[in-house]
Amino acid sequence: MESQPISLSRNSKTLQGSKVKLFSFKGVDVYSKKNHLLRKINLEISRGDFKFVTGKTGAGKTTLLNLIADDCPGLSISGAVYREEAVQNNSIFTSRIFQDLKVFKNMTVLSNLEYCFDPNLYSRVLFEKEMHDYSRMLGIREKLGVKLSECSGGIIQKVAVLRAILAKPDVILADEPTSSLDKASSQTVYEIFKLLNKNFSTTIIWATHDRDLVRSLSGEIIHIENGKLAHQGSTCFI
Amino acid sequence: MFYLNVFLQSLYKNKVRAIIYLALCFMITFLSIYKSSILDLMKKNLSHLQEEVSFQVAVDDSFSNKEKIEKSESLPGVTSVIKLSSAEVVSRLGEISDQYDVNLGNVLNEVSIYKISLNPGISIRNQNLVRKYFEKLLNNSESIISPLDFPSAALSEQTSIFINTIENIFKVILFVLFLSFFVSHYFLTLEIFKQSYIIENFQRKKKVGLKATTSGSAIFLALIGMSFLINYSKGYIFLTFLIIFFITLYIIQSQRMIKN
């Protein structure tokens, strides 16, 4: 890993540093047409939280992230769902790292990252500076001009991670963001997230089924089994 | 401008779909603007089969009022006065001259033959009046005026059916193009909505897909709409309704996609 100090600048005007409740779910059930996906979920997520969502494949981690992101097409939801008003009007912004990545493989790394360029947040110069800084940290600096169809799975995953970071979100919902990465790269992603969490109170919700990874990192965990919230607490539980 | 840019970028990034979409759009626009011109041109080219009424005048070369004949094109009801060339006359009368063993070359050296075409829209009485004018004009000279030559009714009807068929084919082509345009638009929209989903997840914007497709397609639909407005003030209400119908369908589809 190229370790070079980066200057992370933010112009977020929203509730920075304060422990504000962003999401709250009380007794929430989520159903698809045939399955009961989440059962009686009681969960609170505040500004500055760093939480891992753990559980086996199919336990309901992705559904929980979709529930938090209010992105549940075709699903029925019951129970009390609370979202901070600023979340609803996008002044507290949530970006995502999708499990299926949702990148455009017919485009270059750079073109994919351009989707995050919001002129209301960045000047072009600042965007390019941050893009180069982060891509250097993630080791994809030299790949910016390469088409994703020609890149390895690890590089594509790093692009998805970088895209979520460059959106300058207040909340990052990361669904298996390191599933194709080696241990060192996973550690780098964790360090970047930790840096964002510490410096800008960015809320990080990280879903993974990799117990070893969680054991090696520090944070709170939300453990899900068969759609039920089995445990909330520190990673020591793992 | 941002949303229009998203639309244009998705055109650029989906080149095949974009080329089909743009080609269909311009074909519809071109056809609807030039349809009447193309049909008019065809009608004009077929008019000699369909509508022409004419008679021929043969005058001795010594006739002093030839200029008056040539200037008679400006008479009301006369569409053209053409001096037939010797070769044309020989080719038309070749068989007859062979039969009667006449050397037409010698005759035509001393005679000028004119074909006077009349507007078929004027009454037979007026057509006869024009012919009588020529009779008076040529009263004291050695000349021959043929009777009025009307087109064959069967031929005229065939031509008319042919033109009507072409007109109907145009309408069918336009309809098919229009349908294809909306199908290609739908597939392009799918791509835009994919991209807009990503934009909404990484930029602080909402309903990007709907706004981008609306602003982008508005330009192309306006282009097509304008071409219809230019050409058809009435009689194409059906097509206008068709456009409205598809726009409504499109909005409903967009709403469904947003919900999903």
Side-chain angles (χ1 to χ4, degrees):
Chain A
M1 186 190 116
E2 300 166 64
S3 57
Q4 199 162 340
I6 59 164
S7 61
L8 300 173
S9 57
R10 284 284 159 104
N11 53 4
S12 173
K13 298 168 188 168
T14 51
L15 307 168
Q16 197 161 309
S18 55
K19 195 81 175 172
V20 176
K21 186 168 72 180
L22 300 180
F23 308 93
S24 168
F25 305 96
K26 282 182 184 160
V28 172
D29 286 73
V30 179
Y31 311 88
S32 67
K33 278 177 186 168
K34 290 178 183 172
N35 297 315
H36 199 161
L37 301 173
L38 292 177
R39 298 158 196 267
K40 300 282 172 249
I41 295 292
N42 293 306
L43 178 66
E44 276 192 11
I45 295 166
S46 302
R47 177 95 191 173
D49 281 354
F50 195 126
K51 294 190 177 187
F52 292 98
V53 180
T54 59
K56 288 178 186 167
T57 304
K61 303 185 292 292
T62 302
T63 310
L64 181 65
L65 293 193
N66 287 340
L67 177 69
I68 295 168
D70 194 17
D71 185 13
C72 299
L75 299 181
S76 310
I77 299 165
S78 67
V81 177
Y82 165 81
R83 284 187 185 83
E84 164 69 33
E85 200 183 331
V87 174
Q88 291 177 47
N89 65 25
N90 260 354
S91 53
I92 287 183
F93 184 67
T94 304
S95 78
R96 301 181 68 182
I97 299 163
F98 298 96
Q99 193 170 23
D100 58 355
L101 304 177
K102 293 197 196 304
V103 291
F104 295 104
K105 290 195 175 174
N106 58 335
M107 296 180 200
T108 61
V109 172
L110 188 64
S111 302
N112 273 278
L113 296 177
E114 286 280 343
Y115 278 100
C116 317
F117 176 61
D118 187 344
N120 296 328
L121 285 181
Y122 282 110
S123 66
R124 172 58 74 174
V125 177
L126 187 62
F127 174 74
E128 286 182 2
K129 183 183 176 301
E130 289 210 4
M131 182 173 67
H132 286 118
D133 285 344
Y134 282 118
S135 57
R136 192 165 44 239
M137 284 181 81
L138 287 165
I140 55 171
R141 172 82 173 79
E142 308 306 321
K143 301 280 183 184
L144 289 178
V146 181
K147 263 192 177 182
L148 282 192
S149 55
E150 295 161 17
C151 293
S152 66
I155 299 287
I156 296 172
Q157 191 143 41
K158 286 177 182 178
V159 172
V161 171
L162 182 47
R163 192 176 55 175
I165 295 168
L166 286 175
K168 289 193 172 183
D170 305 288
V171 180
I172 294 178
L173 300 176
D175 195 354
E176 308 275 6
T178 56
S179 57
S180 306
L181 302 183
D182 55 39
K183 206 166 181 183
S185 299
S186 301
Q187 188 66 35
T188 308
V189 172
Y190 172 75
E191 279 169 13
I192 293 173
F193 282 171
K194 204 71 191 165
L195 199 66
L196 293 172
N197 178 254
K198 194 180 170 191
N199 289 356
F200 308 113
S201 298
T202 305
T203 306
I204 312 283
I205 311 294
W206 180 327
T208 181
H209 62 268
D210 188 347
R211 294 165 73 93
D212 293 337
L213 176 80
V214 178
R215 203 174 284 132
S216 67
L217 308 172
S218 65
E220 281 182 54
I221 65 157
I222 302 162
H223 187 68
I224 298 179
E225 279 178 14
N226 296 324
K228 280 184 184 168
L229 209 156
H231 175 79
Q232 270 194 84
S234 82
T235 48
C236 307
F237 165 77
I238 296 282
Chain B
M1 201 62 200
F2 169 81
Y3 298 104
L4 188 59
N5 200 27
V6 170
F7 182 83
L8 295 176
Q9 273 189 6
S10 59
L11 283 184
Y12 180 73
K13 283 166 185 166
N14 299 283
K15 291 189 179 68
V16 177
R17 289 180 196 200
I19 287 168
I20 295 170
Y21 179 79
L22 293 175
L24 285 168
C25 178
F26 285 111
M27 275 161 80
I28 293 170
T29 310
F30 178 84
L31 267 187
S32 56
I33 286 178
Y34 291 106
K35 183 184 162 225
S36 47
S37 309
I38 294 167
L39 284 173
D40 284 350
L41 192 70
M42 285 181 72
K43 278 179 191 170
K44 203 175 175 184
N45 284 332
L46 292 170
S47 62
H48 66 285
L49 292 174
Q50 191 195 20
E51 293 169 331
E52 196 176 66
V53 179
S54 64
F55 59 93
Q56 280 83 35
V57 174
V59 288
D60 191 275
D61 270 351
S62 59
F63 179 61
S64 57
N65 276 339
K66 268 194 206 170
E67 274 185 14
K68 278 194 178 174
I69 295 174
E70 282 159 14
K71 283 180 182 173
S72 62
E73 201 170 35
S74 58
L75 279 177
V78 176
T79 53
S80 67
V81 174
I82 302 164
K83 187 180 179 186
L84 300 176
S85 68
S86 303
E88 199 175 345
V89 176
V90 169
S91 73
R92 284 190 188 187
L93 302 177
E95 267 184 41
I96 301 168
S97 62
D98 287 348
Q99 273 180 15
Y100 293 96
D101 197 21
V102 179
N103 187 352
L104 277 174
N106 292 340
V107 177
L108 291 172
N109 281 340
E110 298 159 11
V111 174
S112 297
I113 299 174
Y114 295 92
K115 183 184 176 187
I116 290 98
S117 301
L118 304 178
N119 181 352
I122 63 170
S123 64
I124 294 174
R125 183 173 162 271
N126 286 338
Q127 289 169 0
N128 280 320
L129 273 176
V130 174
R131 192 174 173 280
K132 274 181 186 171
Y133 166 81
F134 277 90
E135 280 177 358
K136 277 193 177 178
L137 186 69
L138 305 168
N139 196 18
N140 297 319
S141 63
E142 284 188 21
S143 61
I144 304 165
I145 302 180
S146 76
L148 284 167
D149 182 18
F150 294 98
S152 141
L155 189 65
S156 176
E157 196 180 334
Q158 270 183 7
T159 316
S160 169
I161 289 170
F162 177 71
I163 288 173
N164 280 340
T165 311
I166 296 283
E167 234 170 314
N168 287 332
I169 287 172
F170 256 101
K171 283 178 192 168
V172 171
I173 289 173
L174 212 55
F175 181 75
V176 170
L177 283 177
F178 216 79
L179 272 180
S180 316
F181 174 75
F182 274 96
V183 170
S184 78
H185 184 82
Y186 174 76
F187 283 109
L188 191 69
T189 306
L190 287 182
E191 281 301 313
I192 293 170
F193 272 83
K194 266 189 208 168
Q195 293 186 23
S196 70
Y197 180 73
I198 297 299
I199 291 171
E200 283 166 21
N201 270 287
F202 299 103
Q203 290 187 30
R204 289 149 177 81
K205 291 185 170 66
K206 285 182 176 176
K207 295 185 179 175
V208 175
L210 184 66
K211 289 172 186 169
T213 41
T214 307
S215 56
S217 54
I219 291 173
F220 291 100
L221 286 172
L223 186 69
I224 292 174
M226 285 290 282
S227 66
F228 277 101
L229 274 177
I230 289 166
N231 279 281
Y232 316 114
S233 54
K234 57 180 180 177
Y236 282 85
I237 295 167
F238 168 70
L239 275 172
T240 313
F241 275 115
L242 199 69
I243 294 170
I244 294 167
F245 171 71
F246 277 113
I247 291 173
T248 315
L249 257 186
Y250 162 71
I251 291 169
I252 292 168
Q253 179 63 24
S254 308
Q255 292 296 339
R256 272 183 55 196
M257 288 177 86
I258 286 168
K259 277 181 191 166
N260 292 337

